[in-house]
Amino acid sequence: MRKLQACLLVYLISSPAVWAQWQASDFSHWQVQGELKPLQVAQQQYVSLWLEEQTPQKRGSVLLLPDWGESPSAANSINSLRQALPQWGWETGAILPPFPMAGLMQSNTMTQLEEARQQYKQDLQALLEAAKQAQQEQFGFQVIVAQGVMGAWLVELLTEQLLPAPDGLVLVSAYYPDQQLNQKLAEQAAQLAVPILDIYADDYNRWQQTARQQRLIASNKNQKFNYRQTELPATAATQPNSAKLNKAVYGWFNALGWY
């Protein structure tokens, strides 16, 4: 039962109000920079925000997944990176992840919980595939940026080869709210062939601090040479410093030879 409760924390960390607001069928009230594109997945409609590159040469496309409970355009999420990347030649698409509560309130056993967990992975996989189709064009380097719990989910999807491997993966304060799952996350990240930039802010939460240490150890043990971990100072809102976040990502792109 203790393990069941720990796993449930992975799903129950955010308010349904965020998804109710962002996944409403009427998008007319949105005042955001960029193009708003509804993504239809099965019977569910999701919100995505897109910005075109602002340079003559397009470097590629970046998909961004904010942490659970954060909107793609919130000032305290990865919105600054979403808006900065087009200035460097990147198309960006920010997506609100699927709401994690569906089917879990009835999960009274480990079997039911695992079924709900697998269903959530399928929903997230389908959403990311729909976002890929919404890109302006399939051109250049493909990068995914994922924050918080969504970073952990993304690593799991890539490890199980449920998504095509991108050319680069940026994790921003990635974690699961569970010690054993974080150890599994570290081992999975260390085994991925894709280059990883692992960004963390000490004040994000206690789970993230432990999780990032586990990833660093696992990557060193597995000699993952295309893994880089870097610390960012946090703001008063316990979010990574926006300017330094942008600088870290740009510097990593440059180190990969993309400029």
Side-chain angles (χ1 to χ4, degrees), residues 95-160:
I95 311 146
L96 185 71
F99 179 56
M101 291 290 290
L104 291 169
M105 295 306 293
Q106 295 78 34
S107 300
N108 297 318
T109 68
M110 288 300 296
T111 299
Q112 290 175 326
L113 181 62
E114 183 59 25
E115 289 175 353
R117 196 172 187 276
Q118 293 301 320
Q119 182 60 56
Y120 184 80
K121 281 199 294 187
Q122 292 177 22
D123 294 343
L124 180 58
Q125 176 189 9
L127 177 57
L128 290 171
E129 290 173 348
K132 198 72 173 175
Q133 296 301 316
Q135 287 182 206
Q136 186 181 53
E137 59 178 332
Q138 302 288 328
F139 179 82
F141 299 107
Q142 303 297 305
V143 179
I144 303 179
V145 178
Q147 181 185 30
V149 176
M150 293 315 302
W153 276 106
L154 187 61
V155 168
E156 186 168 338
L157 284 172
L158 292 172
T159 300
E160 297 178 5

Side-chain angles (χ1 to χ4, degrees), residues 208-220:
Q208 180 265 175
Q209 176 63 14
T210 302
R212 74 93 185 168
Q213 293 173 341
Q214 292 172 318
R215 290 196 298 275
L216 182 61
I217 292 171
S219 294
N220 287 336

